[in-house]
Amino acid sequence: MDVPALIARQLKALPDKPGVYLWKNAAGEIVYVGKAKSLRARVPSYFGPEGDSTPERAALVRQIAELETIIAPNEAQALLLENNLIKEHKPRFNIRLTDDKSYPRVAVTVTEPFPRVLVVRRVNIPGARYFGPYTDVATLRQTLKIIRRIFTVRSCHWDLPHDAPNRPCLDYHIERCRAPCVGYQSEADYRRMIDDVLLFLEGKTVDVRTRLREAQLRDALKWLDQLEQPQTVELVGGGDADAIGLARDGDDACGVVLRVRDGRLIARDHRFLENVEHAAEGAVLAAFLVRCYLPLEARARHALLPFAPEDLDTLQQVAPDIDWHVPQRGTFAKLAQLADQNARHLLDSLKIESFDIDERSADPVFALGRDLGLAAVPRSFVCIDISTNQGRDTVGSLVWFEAGRPKKAEYRRFRIRGAPQDDFAAVHEVVTRYLGRRISEAKGLPDLVVIDGGKGQLGAALDAARALGQDKLPIVSLAKQQEEVFLAGHSDPLRLSRRSPSLKLLQRARDEAHRFAVSYSRKRRAQRTITSALLAIPGVGPNRRRALLERFGSLAGVKTATPAEIAALPGFSTTLAERILDRLQARP
C-alpha cells in the first residue's frame, strides 16, 4: 500500500510510548481519533495488511493525508484523551453517540385530511406542525407512547382519502386505529382527535384531561396518572451492582445500565450508538463504558459485563474504584442477561416504532413485526410445511430463518410413519416434536412460527404450543390460495398488499419449506424406483442391490457398467451380471 511521503516520514519518527493519533484528510479535517499503547507499533498498521480489512477501514485509509499525535503519560490517560477528542471533533469514522445527529422532532401533518404523527429529523414537510427538538430519546419515546395509548392516530402511509386499502389493517382490530381509511371514522371526528393531540404536544394537558373525562376514557386517564410512578423490582440477594448490557443491529447499537441498589432494580440508563457495523464487540462495549457509563454519578462498586471489553486493563486503571465482572452463573449472571435483554428490546423498539423510517421500510423483518402486531421484531422464525409422500408417509419440513434468511444449519424433517393422517394432526405432531426438542435441549425458541395452511392448521399448532406451556409463542399461518394470514384470536384473516415486504418474506419462507419437503419426496421416490428395479431381477436381493449402488452410485450407473465390472463385485458372476444388464436395458 502506497504511503504518502509526509506520512512515511512521520511514521519513522513515532515514539514507543502511549498516546493518541489523529488522522486528517486533505482538507485538514479530523476523520478518525485512536489511542495506542505504543504509537510506533499501532499507527503504521493502517498501511499494512489490515489496512483494508473492512470496507470502512479501506475508506478511511484512502482519505488519510496528515497525521497528528499526542503523547500521554500512560494508556489510561490516552483512553481519556481519546474520548475527549472524539466528543470535541466528532470524527466520521469513530463510533458515535446518536445524539450527534440532528435531534428528532414530532411532526403533525395538519394539512392532510387525515393527519399523521411522525418522528422526523428534518423540517421538510410542507405545512406540518413541529414539536421539539427532543434531546432526550427517552422523553420522546414516552411522549409517543402516551399519544399511541390515548389517541387512535393512524400509523399507515396511505394518501387518504384519494388512495386507501380495501379493508382495515391490524391496528383497527387491536383498537389502535378507528379505520378512517375505509370510512369507519369521519374526517370531522378524526380532526377533533388531532386537535387533542396538538393540545397535548403543546403542553396543555389540563384541557386534554377535561376532554378525555368528558369522553369517559377513565382507563386511559388512570394509565396516564400511573405512568410517572417509580417502579422497583425485587431481586434475590442484597447489595449494589450495575448490570451492563449491549445489543447491536447493523450500524446501530444500544447500551444499557441497570442500577441495582440494596438488591432492588431501581433505574435503567441507556444510550444509542451508531457507526458500529465494522467495529469489534469489545470495542463497542469499551466505547459505551468510557463515554456513557464512567460519566454517570453514583456508580456501584460492582459492574457486571456481558463479556470482556477491549482494554479492560486500561479501564481498571481509569476507574480503580470499580470491580469489573463477567459473571458466568448465579444472581449476577441473571442480572447481566436481563441487561442484555433490555438492550435488545430498546434497540428493536427504536427500529420498529419511529426512527430510521426509510431503513425500516426497506427491511421486511421490521415490516413483518409491525404488520403482525408482534411485541418483538421476529429476527428468528421457523416455517413448517406438511407434505404427503405419495400416500405412504407424512413429512413435516421445517426451515429456520435468521434476519429474513434461511439458516443452513436449521433445516429439519419430521417423518410421521404409518397411515397418512390429515394435515391438522400432522401440524400438531410436528409442532409438538419441534418445540419439545428445543425445550428439552434448553435452546431458545423462535420469535415467530409460520405454518403453511389456513385456520385449521393454525388451531392445531396453537393447541400443540399450549400443551407445552408455550401459549405466548406467536404463531401465524399463511393460506396459499388467497395468500391470507391467519392470526391467533382473530376470526378474519389479514390480507396484506401483494407488494408488501411482509407478505413477500412469508411467501419466501413458505416456498423454501415446501421446496425442502418436495426435494425429500423426490429423493424417496428415486430410491424406491432403484430398489424396485433391481429387486425385480432374479438373484438380486437386498445385499447385492446395496453392493451395486455403493459401487456405481445410481441405477443409471449400473446400466452403463460392463459385465466384467459387475462380475468383479463379491458375490456376482458373469452370468448374473449379464442378466442384470439385459433386464435393466430392456426397461423403458
Side-chain angles (χ1 to χ4, degrees):
M1 183 178 296
D2 294 334
V3 183
L6 174 61
I7 299 293
R9 291 194 299 269
Q10 291 177 311
L11 294 180
K12 293 179 181 179
L14 288 173
D16 186 19
K17 293 182 178 181
V20 172
Y21 55 94
L22 298 84
W23 291 122
K24 299 181 180 180
N25 60 18
E29 300 170 332
I30 297 173
V31 293
Y32 185 80
V33 175
K35 67 122 180 87
K37 183 177 182 180
S38 169
L39 290 171
R40 180 184 300 171
R42 176 71 181 120
V43 177
S45 67
Y46 283 82
F47 299 97
E50 65 178 73
D52 57 355
S53 57
T54 67
E56 188 174 63
R57 173 63 67 86
L60 167 62
V61 172
R62 285 195 298 270
Q63 294 190 27
I64 290 175
E66 186 180 347
L67 168 66
E68 181 180 342
T69 58
I70 303 174
I71 296 175
N74 51 54
E75 193 175 0
Q77 291 298 317
L79 179 66
L80 295 177
L81 178 58
E82 176 197 36
N83 180 48
N84 291 335
L85 290 172
I86 290 172
K87 287 182 177 178
E88 175 70 21
H89 298 287
K90 300 178 176 61
R92 61 166 299 192
F93 286 99
N94 282 99
I95 295 172
R96 300 183 296 268
L97 304 182
T98 54
D99 56 9
D100 290 342
K101 297 180 180 179
S102 57
Y103 293 120
R105 304 168 186 261
V106 173
V108 183
T109 59
V110 292
T111 57
E112 295 180 348
F114 296 90
R116 296 166 292 156
V117 178
L118 308 173
V119 174
V120 298
R121 293 189 181 274
R122 295 185 178 89
V123 182
N124 58 2
I125 302 177
R129 287 196 60 185
Y130 293 90
F131 300 87
Y134 290 84
T135 57
D136 182 3
V137 173
T139 301
L140 173 57
R141 291 170 54 78
Q142 195 83 321
T143 301
L144 293 174
K145 184 185 290 186
I146 294 173
I147 291 174
R148 291 171 179 170
R149 175 64 180 83
I150 297 177
F151 307 104
T152 55
V153 181
R154 70 185 182 99
S155 61
C156 63
H157 297 283
W158 292 101
D159 183 17
L160 303 181
H162 309 295
D163 188 19
N166 296 324
R167 58 181 298 150
C169 69
L170 188 62
D171 280 356
Y172 170 74
H173 297 288
I174 63 176
E175 300 181 352
R176 291 292 181 90
C177 179
R178 294 174 61 188
C181 56
V182 293
Y184 292 175
Q185 183 180 23
S186 67
E187 183 175 343
D189 187 46
Y190 189 91
R191 176 64 64 172
R192 283 192 293 270
M193 182 263 295
I194 290 294
D195 290 341
D196 284 341
V197 172
L198 294 172
L199 285 173
F200 177 82
L201 290 170
E202 291 169 355
K204 300 175 182 178
T205 55
V206 174
D207 296 339
V208 177
R209 286 175 177 272
T210 300
R211 295 173 72 157
L212 287 173
R213 286 193 176 94
E214 290 173 354
Q216 296 182 347
L217 295 178
R218 296 179 181 177
D219 289 343
L221 283 171
K222 182 179 179 181
W223 183 87
L224 183 60
D225 289 336
Q226 294 177 350
L227 190 62
E228 298 299 332
Q229 293 181 6
Q231 304 292 323
T232 62
V233 177
E234 297 288 343
L235 298 170
V236 177
D240 299 347
D242 291 329
I244 295 160
L246 181 72
R248 299 177 62 178
D249 187 350
D251 206 35
D252 300 306
C254 178
V256 161
V257 180
L258 299 182
R259 300 193 189 197
V260 179
R261 301 297 181 265
D262 295 326
R264 293 186 303 165
L265 176 59
I266 64 170
R268 182 188 69 189
D269 300 299
H270 71 278
R271 294 297 296 270
F272 295 104
L273 302 95
E274 63 174 8
N275 201 31
V276 305
E277 184 169 7
H278 300 294
E281 290 278 317
V284 179
L285 180 58
F288 173 73
L289 293 173
V290 174
R291 301 176 202 173
C292 305
Y293 177 63
L294 292 182
L296 293 177
E297 298 181 1
R299 298 191 305 266
R301 175 70 179 176
H302 300 288
L304 315 178
L305 305 175
F307 50 85
E310 196 173 90
D311 299 318
L312 179 57
D313 293 340
T314 307
L315 284 172
Q316 291 171 336
Q317 297 176 43
V318 172
D321 58 323
I322 298 176
D323 291 331
W324 305 93
H325 301 278
V326 183
Q328 302 298 320
R329 60 183 65 85
T331 303
F332 277 1
K334 292 178 181 178
L335 276 173
Q337 292 172 5
L338 183 62
D340 263 356
Q341 292 169 7
N342 273 265
R344 172 55 58 193
H345 165 71
L346 287 167
L347 189 58
D348 285 348
S349 298
L350 174 79
K351 295 280 188 177
I352 204 169
E353 285 190 2
S354 301
F355 300 97
D356 297 332
I357 295 172
D358 292 338
E359 177 185 343
R360 190 176 75 248
S361 63
D363 191 334
V365 174
F366 292 107
L368 182 62
R370 170 66 186 170
D371 290 342
L372 298 185
L374 303 180
V377 177
R379 298 183 176 280
S380 62
F381 64 90
V382 298
C383 186
I384 296 173
D385 175 86
I386 301 297
S387 63
T388 301
N389 189 10
Q390 288 191 338
R392 291 177 172 84
D393 294 323
T394 299
V395 177
S397 296
L398 181 145
V399 180
W400 178 291
F401 281 72
E402 290 277 6
R405 298 177 178 84
K407 189 176 180 182
K408 294 300 182 184
E410 287 287 346
Y411 280 67
R412 295 181 179 273
R413 293 190 181 95
F414 298 85
R415 188 177 178 191
I416 306 168
R417 299 181 181 274
Q421 51 189 315
D422 61 58
D423 279 0
F424 303 162
V427 167
H428 189 284
E429 182 166 346
V430 170
V431 172
T432 299
R433 288 164 62 177
Y434 176 71
L435 295 183
R437 178 182 297 178
R438 301 288 296 191
I439 294 170
S440 65
E441 295 174 355
K443 294 182 178 179
L445 295 180
D447 298 323
L448 174 68
V449 176
V450 180
I451 306 295
D452 179 17
K455 187 182 294 186
Q457 284 84 354
L458 174 61
L462 291 170
D463 288 343
R466 196 177 299 116
L468 293 170
Q470 300 298 322
D471 52 330
K472 300 296 184 182
L473 180 65
I475 303 178
V476 302
S477 65
L478 177 63
K480 190 169 186 177
Q481 187 172 5
Q482 300 295 330
E483 301 292 19
E484 298 172 328
V485 182
F486 289 87
L487 308 172
H490 297 274
S491 56
D492 294 328
L494 172 66
R495 291 186 176 90
L496 298 170
S497 167
R498 294 283 177 164
R499 298 186 301 273
S500 165
S502 302
L503 179 60
K504 290 179 179 179
L505 179 56
L506 290 175
Q507 290 171 328
R508 180 189 179 192
R510 187 262 317 281
D511 294 343
E512 180 64 8
H514 183 67
R515 181 202 64 77
F516 186 52
V518 169
S519 66
Y520 175 73
S521 297
R522 287 174 177 169
K523 181 179 178 181
R524 294 283 296 172
R525 286 198 298 271
Q527 290 175 342
R528 283 197 299 271
T529 300
I530 294 173
T531 299
S532 60
L534 292 176
L535 293 183
I537 301 173
V540 178
N543 293 335
R544 284 175 172 167
R545 174 186 60 82
R546 188 179 306 110
L548 286 169
L549 294 179
E550 288 177 354
R551 170 63 179 84
F552 301 107
S554 66
L555 190 62
V558 177
K559 284 183 177 181
T560 58
T562 65
E565 289 175 332
I566 297 177
L569 294 175
F572 286 78
S573 64
T574 303
T575 302
L576 179 57
E578 291 174 347
R579 184 191 310 151
I580 292 172
L581 292 176
D582 289 342
R583 291 293 184 96
L584 291 181
Q585 290 168 1
R587 290 174 59 89

PDB file of all heavy atoms in Angstrom, residues 77-94:
ATOM      1  N   GLN A  77      -4.505   7.394  30.540  1.00  0.00           N
ATOM      2  CA  GLN A  77      -4.670   8.793  30.164  1.00  0.00           C
ATOM      3  C   GLN A  77      -4.919   8.928  28.660  1.00  0.00           C
ATOM      4  O   GLN A  77      -5.672   9.810  28.222  1.00  0.00           O
ATOM      5  CB  GLN A  77      -3.422   9.581  30.561  1.00  0.00           C
ATOM      6  CG  GLN A  77      -3.233   9.727  32.064  1.00  0.00           C
ATOM      7  CD  GLN A  77      -4.370  10.495  32.706  1.00  0.00           C
ATOM      8  OE1 GLN A  77      -4.821  11.514  32.171  1.00  0.00           O
ATOM      9  NE2 GLN A  77      -4.851  10.005  33.835  1.00  0.00           N
ATOM     10  N   ALA A  78      -4.330   8.047  27.878  1.00  0.00           N
ATOM     11  CA  ALA A  78      -4.582   8.066  26.434  1.00  0.00           C
ATOM     12  C   ALA A  78      -6.045   7.737  26.136  1.00  0.00           C
ATOM     13  O   ALA A  78      -6.654   8.325  25.235  1.00  0.00           O
ATOM     14  CB  ALA A  78      -3.657   7.067  25.728  1.00  0.00           C
ATOM     15  N   LEU A  79      -6.616   6.801  26.881  1.00  0.00           N
ATOM     16  CA  LEU A  79      -8.022   6.439  26.701  1.00  0.00           C
ATOM     17  C   LEU A  79      -8.928   7.630  26.979  1.00  0.00           C
ATOM     18  O   LEU A  79      -9.866   7.920  26.223  1.00  0.00           O
ATOM     19  CB  LEU A  79      -8.379   5.266  27.613  1.00  0.00           C
ATOM     20  CG  LEU A  79      -9.821   4.783  27.564  1.00  0.00           C
ATOM     21  CD1 LEU A  79     -10.149   4.193  26.201  1.00  0.00           C
ATOM     22  CD2 LEU A  79     -10.080   3.742  28.646  1.00  0.00           C
ATOM     23  N   LEU A  80      -8.656   8.355  28.074  1.00  0.00           N
ATOM     24  CA  LEU A  80      -9.473   9.519  28.423  1.00  0.00           C
ATOM     25  C   LEU A  80      -9.300  10.636  27.395  1.00  0.00           C
ATOM     26  O   LEU A  80     -10.266  11.311  27.015  1.00  0.00           O
ATOM     27  CB  LEU A  80      -9.092  10.015  29.818  1.00  0.00           C
ATOM     28  CG  LEU A  80      -9.389   9.042  30.968  1.00  0.00           C
ATOM     29  CD1 LEU A  80      -8.890   9.624  32.283  1.00  0.00           C
ATOM     30  CD2 LEU A  80     -10.872   8.741  31.049  1.00  0.00           C
ATOM     31  N   LEU A  81      -8.076  10.839  26.934  1.00  0.00           N
ATOM     32  CA  LEU A  81      -7.825  11.870  25.929  1.00  0.00           C
ATOM     33  C   LEU A  81      -8.529  11.531  24.621  1.00  0.00           C
ATOM     34  O   LEU A  81      -9.117  12.410  23.963  1.00  0.00           O
ATOM     35  CB  LEU A  81      -6.316  12.010  25.707  1.00  0.00           C
ATOM     36  CG  LEU A  81      -5.874  13.014  24.642  1.00  0.00           C
ATOM     37  CD1 LEU A  81      -6.398  14.416  24.966  1.00  0.00           C
ATOM     38  CD2 LEU A  81      -4.352  13.016  24.514  1.00  0.00           C
ATOM     39  N   GLU A  82      -8.485  10.261  24.236  1.00  0.00           N
ATOM     40  CA  GLU A  82      -9.190   9.826  23.029  1.00  0.00           C
ATOM     41  C   GLU A  82     -10.673  10.149  23.132  1.00  0.00           C
ATOM     42  O   GLU A  82     -11.288  10.680  22.195  1.00  0.00           O
ATOM     43  CB  GLU A  82      -8.991   8.325  22.825  1.00  0.00           C
ATOM     44  CG  GLU A  82      -9.778   7.753  21.647  1.00  0.00           C
ATOM     45  CD  GLU A  82      -9.912   6.246  21.706  1.00  0.00           C
ATOM     46  OE1 GLU A  82     -10.052   5.704  22.824  1.00  0.00           O
ATOM     47  OE2 GLU A  82      -9.897   5.617  20.641  1.00  0.00           O
ATOM     48  N   ASN A  83     -11.268   9.841  24.280  1.00  0.00           N
ATOM     49  CA  ASN A  83     -12.689  10.091  24.471  1.00  0.00           C
ATOM     50  C   ASN A  83     -13.004  11.579  24.347  1.00  0.00           C
ATOM     51  O   ASN A  83     -13.984  11.979  23.700  1.00  0.00           O
ATOM     52  CB  ASN A  83     -13.114   9.559  25.841  1.00  0.00           C
ATOM     53  CG  ASN A  83     -14.581   9.777  26.120  1.00  0.00           C
ATOM     54  OD1 ASN A  83     -15.425   9.477  25.287  1.00  0.00           O
ATOM     55  ND2 ASN A  83     -14.898  10.318  27.286  1.00  0.00           N
ATOM     56  N   ASN A  84     -12.195  12.431  24.956  1.00  0.00           N
ATOM     57  CA  ASN A  84     -12.434  13.878  24.907  1.00  0.00           C
ATOM     58  C   ASN A  84     -12.314  14.418  23.482  1.00  0.00           C
ATOM     59  O   ASN A  84     -13.116  15.262  23.049  1.00  0.00           O
ATOM     60  CB  ASN A  84     -11.447  14.606  25.823  1.00  0.00           C
ATOM     61  CG  ASN A  84     -11.712  14.330  27.290  1.00  0.00           C
ATOM     62  OD1 ASN A  84     -12.833  14.000  27.674  1.00  0.00           O
ATOM     63  ND2 ASN A  84     -10.694  14.438  28.115  1.00  0.00           N
ATOM     64  N   LEU A  85     -11.335  13.927  22.737  1.00  0.00           N
ATOM     65  CA  LEU A  85     -11.152  14.401  21.367  1.00  0.00           C
ATOM     66  C   LEU A  85     -12.286  13.944  20.453  1.00  0.00           C
ATOM     67  O   LEU A  85     -12.703  14.668  19.545  1.00  0.00           O
ATOM     68  CB  LEU A  85      -9.809  13.904  20.828  1.00  0.00           C
ATOM     69  CG  LEU A  85      -8.565  14.550  21.465  1.00  0.00           C
ATOM     70  CD1 LEU A  85      -7.304  13.846  20.988  1.00  0.00           C
ATOM     71  CD2 LEU A  85      -8.506  16.038  21.150  1.00  0.00           C
ATOM     72  N   ILE A  86     -12.789  12.740  20.683  1.00  0.00           N
ATOM     73  CA  ILE A  86     -13.928  12.267  19.883  1.00  0.00           C
ATOM     74  C   ILE A  86     -15.157  13.125  20.150  1.00  0.00           C
ATOM     75  O   ILE A  86     -15.896  13.500  19.223  1.00  0.00           O
ATOM     76  CB  ILE A  86     -14.211  10.778  20.188  1.00  0.00           C
ATOM     77  CG1 ILE A  86     -13.081   9.904  19.625  1.00  0.00           C
ATOM     78  CG2 ILE A  86     -15.542  10.341  19.587  1.00  0.00           C
ATOM     79  CD1 ILE A  86     -13.170   8.448  20.034  1.00  0.00           C
ATOM     80  N   LYS A  87     -15.398  13.448  21.411  1.00  0.00           N
ATOM     81  CA  LYS A  87     -16.533  14.312  21.746  1.00  0.00           C
ATOM     82  C   LYS A  87     -16.378  15.696  21.120  1.00  0.00           C
ATOM     83  O   LYS A  87     -17.349  16.307  20.681  1.00  0.00           O
ATOM     84  CB  LYS A  87     -16.658  14.436  23.261  1.00  0.00           C
ATOM     85  CG  LYS A  87     -17.181  13.203  23.956  1.00  0.00           C
ATOM     86  CD  LYS A  87     -17.312  13.448  25.452  1.00  0.00           C
ATOM     87  CE  LYS A  87     -17.900  12.236  26.159  1.00  0.00           C
ATOM     88  NZ  LYS A  87     -17.997  12.449  27.625  1.00  0.00           N
ATOM     89  N   GLU A  88     -15.158  16.180  21.086  1.00  0.00           N
ATOM     90  CA  GLU A  88     -14.905  17.529  20.582  1.00  0.00           C
ATOM     91  C   GLU A  88     -15.027  17.612  19.061  1.00  0.00           C
ATOM     92  O   GLU A  88     -15.657  18.522  18.515  1.00  0.00           O
ATOM     93  CB  GLU A  88     -13.501  17.967  21.010  1.00  0.00           C
ATOM     94  CG  GLU A  88     -13.062  19.315  20.451  1.00  0.00           C
ATOM     95  CD  GLU A  88     -13.822  20.476  21.049  1.00  0.00           C
ATOM     96  OE1 GLU A  88     -14.384  20.314  22.152  1.00  0.00           O
ATOM     97  OE2 GLU A  88     -13.868  21.545  20.410  1.00  0.00           O
ATOM     98  N   HIS A  89     -14.442  16.645  18.348  1.00  0.00           N
ATOM     99  CA  HIS A  89     -14.353  16.752  16.890  1.00  0.00           C
ATOM    100  C   HIS A  89     -15.363  15.896  16.135  1.00  0.00           C
ATOM    101  O   HIS A  89     -15.567  16.114  14.941  1.00  0.00           O
ATOM    102  CB  HIS A  89     -12.931  16.379  16.439  1.00  0.00           C
ATOM    103  CG  HIS A  89     -11.871  17.277  16.984  1.00  0.00           C
ATOM    104  ND1 HIS A  89     -11.671  18.571  16.541  1.00  0.00           N
ATOM    105  CD2 HIS A  89     -10.951  17.082  17.982  1.00  0.00           C
ATOM    106  CE1 HIS A  89     -10.673  19.128  17.211  1.00  0.00           C
ATOM    107  NE2 HIS A  89     -10.219  18.247  18.092  1.00  0.00           N
ATOM    108  N   LYS A  90     -15.956  14.902  16.799  1.00  0.00           N
ATOM    109  CA  LYS A  90     -16.960  14.037  16.170  1.00  0.00           C
ATOM    110  C   LYS A  90     -16.480  13.485  14.820  1.00  0.00           C
ATOM    111  O   LYS A  90     -17.106  13.692  13.777  1.00  0.00           O
ATOM    112  CB  LYS A  90     -18.273  14.785  15.989  1.00  0.00           C
ATOM    113  CG  LYS A  90     -18.876  15.291  17.285  1.00  0.00           C
ATOM    114  CD  LYS A  90     -20.161  16.061  17.035  1.00  0.00           C
ATOM    115  CE  LYS A  90     -20.807  16.479  18.360  1.00  0.00           C
ATOM    116  NZ  LYS A  90     -19.933  17.366  19.132  1.00  0.00           N
ATOM    117  N   PRO A  91     -15.366  12.764  14.802  1.00  0.00           N
ATOM    118  CA  PRO A  91     -14.849  12.230  13.527  1.00  0.00           C
ATOM    119  C   PRO A  91     -15.830  11.239  12.903  1.00  0.00           C
ATOM    120  O   PRO A  91     -16.480  10.457  13.597  1.00  0.00           O
ATOM    121  CB  PRO A  91     -13.551  11.517  13.949  1.00  0.00           C
ATOM    122  CG  PRO A  91     -13.227  12.061  15.305  1.00  0.00           C
ATOM    123  CD  PRO A  91     -14.531  12.368  15.948  1.00  0.00           C
ATOM    124  N   ARG A  92     -15.884  11.241  11.605  1.00  0.00           N
ATOM    125  CA  ARG A  92     -16.894  10.438  10.899  1.00  0.00           C
ATOM    126  C   ARG A  92     -16.645   8.943  11.004  1.00  0.00           C
ATOM    127  O   ARG A  92     -17.565   8.144  10.881  1.00  0.00           O
ATOM    128  CB  ARG A  92     -16.983  10.841   9.426  1.00  0.00           C
ATOM    129  CG  ARG A  92     -15.720  10.648   8.629  1.00  0.00           C
ATOM    130  CD  ARG A  92     -15.985  10.741   7.134  1.00  0.00           C
ATOM    131  NE  ARG A  92     -16.910   9.720   6.704  1.00  0.00           N
ATOM    132  CZ  ARG A  92     -17.130   9.427   5.420  1.00  0.00           C
ATOM    133  NH1 ARG A  92     -16.494  10.095   4.487  1.00  0.00           N
ATOM    134  NH2 ARG A  92     -17.966   8.474   5.074  1.00  0.00           N
ATOM    135  N   PHE A  93     -15.391   8.507  11.228  1.00  0.00           N
ATOM    136  CA  PHE A  93     -15.091   7.078  11.256  1.00  0.00           C
ATOM    137  C   PHE A  93     -15.054   6.503  12.674  1.00  0.00           C
ATOM    138  O   PHE A  93     -14.792   5.317  12.832  1.00  0.00           O
ATOM    139  CB  PHE A  93     -13.761   6.802  10.551  1.00  0.00           C
ATOM    140  CG  PHE A  93     -13.849   6.915   9.057  1.00  0.00           C
ATOM    141  CD1 PHE A  93     -13.431   8.070   8.407  1.00  0.00           C
ATOM    142  CD2 PHE A  93     -14.368   5.892   8.295  1.00  0.00           C
ATOM    143  CE1 PHE A  93     -13.512   8.185   7.031  1.00  0.00           C
ATOM    144  CE2 PHE A  93     -14.459   5.999   6.922  1.00  0.00           C
ATOM    145  CZ  PHE A  93     -14.035   7.147   6.282  1.00  0.00           C
ATOM    146  N   ASN A  94     -15.305   7.308  13.686  1.00  0.00           N
ATOM    147  CA  ASN A  94     -15.353   6.796  15.057  1.00  0.00           C
ATOM    148  C   ASN A  94     -16.772   6.390  15.421  1.00  0.00           C
ATOM    149  O   ASN A  94     -17.749   6.890  14.851  1.00  0.00           O
ATOM    150  CB  ASN A  94     -14.871   7.855  16.058  1.00  0.00           C
ATOM    151  CG  ASN A  94     -13.365   7.973  16.084  1.00  0.00           C
ATOM    152  OD1 ASN A  94     -12.803   8.869  15.469  1.00  0.00           O
ATOM    153  ND2 ASN A  94     -12.705   7.079  16.807  1.00  0.00           N
TER     154      ASN A  94
END
